[in-house]
Amino acid sequence: MASNTFAPQLKIPATYMRGGTSKGVFFNLGDLPPAAQVPGEARDKLLLRVIGSPDPYGKHTDGMGGATSSTSKTVIVSKSQQPDHDVDYLFGQVSIDQPFVDWSGNCGNLSAAVGPFAIHAGLVERVPQNGMATVRVWQANIGKTLLVHVPMRNGEVQETGDFTLDGVTFPAAEIQVDFMAPGEGAMFPTGNLVDKLEVPGIGTLDATLINAGIPTIFINAESIGFTGTELQPAINDNADTLALFERIRAAGAVKMGLISSPEQAASRQHTPKVAFVAGPAAYVASSGKTVQKTDVDVLVRALSMGKLHHAMMGTAAVAIAAAACVPGTLVNMAAGGGERESVTFGHPSGTLRVGASAQHTEQGWVVEKVTMSRSARILMEGVVRVPF
């Protein structure tokens, strides 16, 4: 973008939406400037400026971002180029303090908002006046199909309702999202359900490395001195702890074949995720609500963009569900072991139940579908102004 001090601001139609426990700026591909309608530097620079990055102050004061991994997000939606799909959905995770947009993965939370946005934007040709509209979404980052089930009332998306989601303050209408065949290639890229992960400065850790929903590294909480009941301050206020998790993430990324050297992890912040698990235990969530031991099957804490997430990333929830339903993974063993078709896990904001259908084939474990319920609504619509 030009740096002419007196240049006018570009006005681009945009919609600001909450999806699950995330927020992002949504665009119809055709509304972007021509240079930004294709991948490349122009698109990345535009989205960085929309969000307000890079911001050395870490506040996003001069942009639409919220200075957290959950709120520094952008979405581009268009009529689908894939057969039997309604729309294509591209997700960009904008770095807060670095000048890049990470396109390497999906956002599961904002996936719930793609269906409503597509209907509002007129990108879905046939929707019922009342009942449930199923929007078939092609997730372009990872090449996967999502089915977003959107409630309709009098020809419009129903946004209000009584469905509650831990990590979201107010109730809304329930939106079910089906992540179809969420595994990418080999679901366990090393071929093992549990690996020995060599981490410099830490030693050898047991780890489950899975690629379902999003590449994720699971380790046992106790192996690094935690209990699985931690809230954000216990992790995010300690630079040494954050550095420890980044070393684990880098080592796991190399082992999964996502990068060739640990140093490359710095430019791939969105994937893989790193999470730690523990057996059920009572704790007080960030809202002050007590989660009882009997409320959950397993405890999971996950980091996103270098910080402990305030709830749970939707794509990481897919990975949790997939791993929990495969006997022998660290997640499955922390949840009590054995075969299962769903799991309720505890996160910093409360609990979440996710279902999964997994089966063992000649090619290894395959997850056919992961299902979870989220909610979404439009927060603001109009134009976003961007200096150019």
Tab-separated table of all heavy atoms in Angstrom, residues 187-217:
chain	number	residue	atom	x	y	z
A	187	MET	N	-3.645	-39.561	9.478
A	187	MET	CA	-4.107	-38.807	10.650
A	187	MET	C	-3.017	-38.727	11.713
A	187	MET	O	-2.870	-37.716	12.397
A	187	MET	CB	-5.375	-39.436	11.209
A	187	MET	CG	-6.037	-38.578	12.274
A	187	MET	SD	-7.740	-39.044	12.605
A	187	MET	CE	-7.518	-40.578	13.506
A	188	PHE	N	-2.232	-39.811	11.823
A	188	PHE	CA	-1.079	-39.806	12.714
A	188	PHE	C	0.166	-39.827	11.819
A	188	PHE	O	0.572	-40.889	11.335
A	188	PHE	CB	-1.126	-41.011	13.653
A	188	PHE	CG	-2.337	-41.011	14.549
A	188	PHE	CD1	-3.468	-41.744	14.216
A	188	PHE	CD2	-2.358	-40.243	15.700
A	188	PHE	CE1	-4.587	-41.722	15.025
A	188	PHE	CE2	-3.484	-40.212	16.516
A	188	PHE	CZ	-4.606	-40.951	16.184
A	189	PRO	N	0.744	-38.676	11.535
A	189	PRO	CA	1.766	-38.566	10.489
A	189	PRO	C	3.014	-39.413	10.720
A	189	PRO	O	3.694	-39.779	9.760
A	189	PRO	CB	2.099	-37.067	10.465
A	189	PRO	CG	1.577	-36.524	11.743
A	189	PRO	CD	0.421	-37.371	12.133
A	190	THR	N	3.315	-39.741	11.979
A	190	THR	CA	4.483	-40.587	12.234
A	190	THR	C	4.124	-42.066	12.205
A	190	THR	O	5.011	-42.924	12.271
A	190	THR	CB	5.097	-40.264	13.605
A	190	THR	OG1	4.159	-40.635	14.633
A	190	THR	CG2	5.440	-38.788	13.719
A	191	GLY	N	2.815	-42.357	12.148
A	191	GLY	CA	2.368	-43.742	12.200
A	191	GLY	C	2.190	-44.259	13.612
A	191	GLY	O	1.787	-45.418	13.806
A	192	ASN	N	2.468	-43.425	14.602
A	192	ASN	CA	2.380	-43.838	15.994
A	192	ASN	C	1.264	-43.079	16.719
A	192	ASN	O	1.015	-41.909	16.436
A	192	ASN	CB	3.698	-43.562	16.728
A	192	ASN	CG	4.878	-44.250	16.068
A	192	ASN	OD1	4.796	-45.405	15.677
A	192	ASN	ND2	5.978	-43.529	15.931
A	193	LEU	N	0.626	-43.757	17.670
A	193	LEU	CA	-0.358	-43.079	18.510
A	193	LEU	C	0.319	-42.258	19.589
A	193	LEU	O	-0.214	-41.238	20.045
A	193	LEU	CB	-1.311	-44.098	19.148
A	193	LEU	CG	-2.107	-44.971	18.175
A	193	LEU	CD1	-3.047	-45.894	18.944
A	193	LEU	CD2	-2.897	-44.101	17.203
A	194	VAL	N	1.499	-42.694	20.019
A	194	VAL	CA	2.315	-41.951	20.983
A	194	VAL	C	3.758	-41.990	20.503
A	194	VAL	O	4.284	-43.057	20.186
A	194	VAL	CB	2.213	-42.542	22.406
A	194	VAL	CG1	3.108	-41.755	23.365
A	194	VAL	CG2	0.772	-42.524	22.906
A	195	ASP	N	4.377	-40.831	20.420
A	195	ASP	CA	5.766	-40.704	20.021
A	195	ASP	C	6.626	-40.248	21.191
A	195	ASP	O	6.141	-39.635	22.145
A	195	ASP	CB	5.906	-39.681	18.890
A	195	ASP	CG	5.535	-40.242	17.539
A	195	ASP	OD1	6.334	-41.010	16.989
A	195	ASP	OD2	4.434	-39.916	17.051
A	196	LYS	N	7.900	-40.520	21.082
A	196	LYS	CA	8.892	-39.939	21.981
A	196	LYS	C	9.414	-38.672	21.312
A	196	LYS	O	10.042	-38.736	20.257
A	196	LYS	CB	10.038	-40.913	22.244
A	196	LYS	CG	9.610	-42.203	22.943
A	196	LYS	CD	9.100	-41.921	24.359
A	196	LYS	CE	8.759	-43.221	25.078
A	196	LYS	NZ	8.233	-42.966	26.445
A	197	LEU	N	9.113	-37.541	21.911
A	197	LEU	CA	9.462	-36.253	21.314
A	197	LEU	C	10.654	-35.654	22.052
A	197	LEU	O	10.583	-35.364	23.251
A	197	LEU	CB	8.265	-35.307	21.391
A	197	LEU	CG	8.392	-33.954	20.689
A	197	LEU	CD1	8.582	-34.158	19.186
A	197	LEU	CD2	7.160	-33.088	20.963
A	198	GLU	N	11.759	-35.478	21.325
A	198	GLU	CA	12.968	-34.883	21.896
A	198	GLU	C	12.864	-33.364	21.817
A	198	GLU	O	12.783	-32.802	20.720
A	198	GLU	CB	14.209	-35.368	21.147
A	198	GLU	CG	14.452	-36.867	21.220
A	198	GLU	CD	14.951	-37.312	22.597
A	198	GLU	OE1	15.414	-36.447	23.358
A	198	GLU	OE2	14.867	-38.525	22.885
A	199	VAL	N	12.846	-32.710	22.971
A	199	VAL	CA	12.707	-31.255	23.027
A	199	VAL	C	13.944	-30.661	23.676
A	199	VAL	O	14.230	-30.945	24.846
A	199	VAL	CB	11.450	-30.839	23.820
A	199	VAL	CG1	11.297	-29.326	23.790
A	199	VAL	CG2	10.213	-31.527	23.259
A	200	PRO	N	14.710	-29.838	22.947
A	200	PRO	CA	15.920	-29.236	23.513
A	200	PRO	C	15.620	-28.475	24.809
A	200	PRO	O	14.668	-27.709	24.888
A	200	PRO	CB	16.385	-28.273	22.408
A	200	PRO	CG	15.826	-28.862	21.143
A	200	PRO	CD	14.507	-29.457	21.541
A	201	GLY	N	16.438	-28.728	25.807
A	201	GLY	CA	16.285	-28.030	27.085
A	201	GLY	C	15.226	-28.622	27.986
A	201	GLY	O	15.066	-28.192	29.128
A	202	ILE	N	14.483	-29.617	27.492
A	202	ILE	CA	13.425	-30.236	28.292
A	202	ILE	C	13.671	-31.725	28.463
A	202	ILE	O	13.576	-32.275	29.554
A	202	ILE	CB	12.037	-30.014	27.651
A	202	ILE	CG1	11.726	-28.520	27.549
A	202	ILE	CG2	10.949	-30.729	28.452
A	202	ILE	CD1	10.445	-28.214	26.806
A	203	GLY	N	14.009	-32.395	27.361
A	203	GLY	CA	14.213	-33.834	27.394
A	203	GLY	C	13.236	-34.543	26.487
A	203	GLY	O	12.758	-33.972	25.496
A	204	THR	N	12.899	-35.754	26.835
A	204	THR	CA	12.011	-36.580	26.022
A	204	THR	C	10.612	-36.592	26.627
A	204	THR	O	10.435	-36.903	27.809
A	204	THR	CB	12.542	-38.021	25.927
A	204	THR	OG1	13.868	-37.989	25.386
A	204	THR	CG2	11.648	-38.857	25.024
A	205	LEU	N	9.631	-36.257	25.806
A	205	LEU	CA	8.243	-36.230	26.249
A	205	LEU	C	7.423	-37.196	25.415
A	205	LEU	O	7.629	-37.325	24.209
A	205	LEU	CB	7.648	-34.821	26.084
A	205	LEU	CG	8.294	-33.665	26.847
A	205	LEU	CD1	7.640	-32.342	26.422
A	205	LEU	CD2	8.167	-33.869	28.338
A	206	ASP	N	6.466	-37.869	26.046
A	206	ASP	CA	5.466	-38.605	25.290
A	206	ASP	C	4.552	-37.597	24.602
A	206	ASP	O	4.142	-36.599	25.214
A	206	ASP	CB	4.632	-39.496	26.215
A	206	ASP	CG	5.378	-40.740	26.657
A	206	ASP	OD1	6.409	-41.062	26.042
A	206	ASP	OD2	4.938	-41.378	27.633
A	207	ALA	N	4.223	-37.858	23.350
A	207	ALA	CA	3.377	-36.921	22.599
A	207	ALA	C	2.518	-37.681	21.602
A	207	ALA	O	2.978	-38.644	20.979
A	207	ALA	CB	4.232	-35.893	21.855
A	208	THR	N	1.269	-37.248	21.475
A	208	THR	CA	0.406	-37.709	20.397
A	208	THR	C	0.368	-36.614	19.344
A	208	THR	O	-0.037	-35.482	19.631
A	208	THR	CB	-1.020	-38.014	20.904
A	208	THR	OG1	-0.989	-39.214	21.687
A	208	THR	CG2	-1.975	-38.228	19.739
A	209	LEU	N	0.810	-36.942	18.148
A	209	LEU	CA	0.869	-35.990	17.036
A	209	LEU	C	-0.238	-36.365	16.061
A	209	LEU	O	-0.201	-37.445	15.471
A	209	LEU	CB	2.235	-36.055	16.351
A	209	LEU	CG	3.459	-35.988	17.282
A	209	LEU	CD1	4.740	-36.177	16.490
A	209	LEU	CD2	3.474	-34.678	18.052
A	210	ILE	N	-1.203	-35.485	15.903
A	210	ILE	CA	-2.376	-35.805	15.096
A	210	ILE	C	-2.675	-34.684	14.116
A	210	ILE	O	-2.436	-33.508	14.411
A	210	ILE	CB	-3.603	-36.079	16.005
A	210	ILE	CG1	-4.777	-36.658	15.213
A	210	ILE	CG2	-4.009	-34.831	16.781
A	210	ILE	CD1	-5.915	-37.162	16.083
A	211	ASN	N	-3.175	-35.072	12.961
A	211	ASN	CA	-3.583	-34.097	11.959
A	211	ASN	C	-5.058	-34.330	11.671
A	211	ASN	O	-5.430	-35.098	10.782
A	211	ASN	CB	-2.749	-34.254	10.687
A	211	ASN	CG	-2.855	-33.030	9.788
A	211	ASN	OD1	-3.676	-32.140	10.018
A	211	ASN	ND2	-2.036	-32.986	8.760
A	212	ALA	N	-5.901	-33.675	12.451
A	212	ALA	CA	-7.352	-33.778	12.287
A	212	ALA	C	-7.943	-32.443	12.723
A	212	ALA	O	-7.793	-32.051	13.870
A	212	ALA	CB	-7.922	-34.907	13.134
A	213	GLY	N	-8.582	-31.764	11.790
A	213	GLY	CA	-9.050	-30.414	12.094
A	213	GLY	C	-7.933	-29.414	11.925
A	213	GLY	O	-8.005	-28.476	11.132
A	214	ILE	N	-6.855	-29.646	12.677
A	214	ILE	CA	-5.647	-28.838	12.561
A	214	ILE	C	-4.503	-29.668	13.145
A	214	ILE	O	-4.724	-30.456	14.079
A	214	ILE	CB	-5.801	-27.485	13.308
A	214	ILE	CG1	-4.810	-26.451	12.805
A	214	ILE	CG2	-5.680	-27.659	14.828
A	214	ILE	CD1	-5.148	-25.026	13.210
A	215	PRO	N	-3.302	-29.576	12.607
A	215	PRO	CA	-2.195	-30.324	13.197
A	215	PRO	C	-2.010	-29.935	14.668
A	215	PRO	O	-1.919	-28.751	14.999
A	215	PRO	CB	-0.982	-29.900	12.356
A	215	PRO	CG	-1.560	-29.453	11.060
A	215	PRO	CD	-2.878	-28.834	11.405
A	216	THR	N	-1.968	-30.945	15.547
A	216	THR	CA	-1.928	-30.682	16.981
A	216	THR	C	-0.974	-31.640	17.677
A	216	THR	O	-0.905	-32.819	17.339
A	216	THR	CB	-3.333	-30.817	17.613
A	216	THR	OG1	-4.248	-29.971	16.910
A	216	THR	CG2	-3.326	-30.406	19.071
A	217	ILE	N	-0.254	-31.097	18.654
A	217	ILE	CA	0.677	-31.857	19.478
A	217	ILE	C	0.082	-31.943	20.881
A	217	ILE	O	-0.121	-30.915	21.535
A	217	ILE	CB	2.049	-31.150	19.551
A	217	ILE	CG1	2.616	-30.938	18.146
A	217	ILE	CG2	3.013	-31.896	20.454
A	217	ILE	CD1	3.588	-29.774	18.062
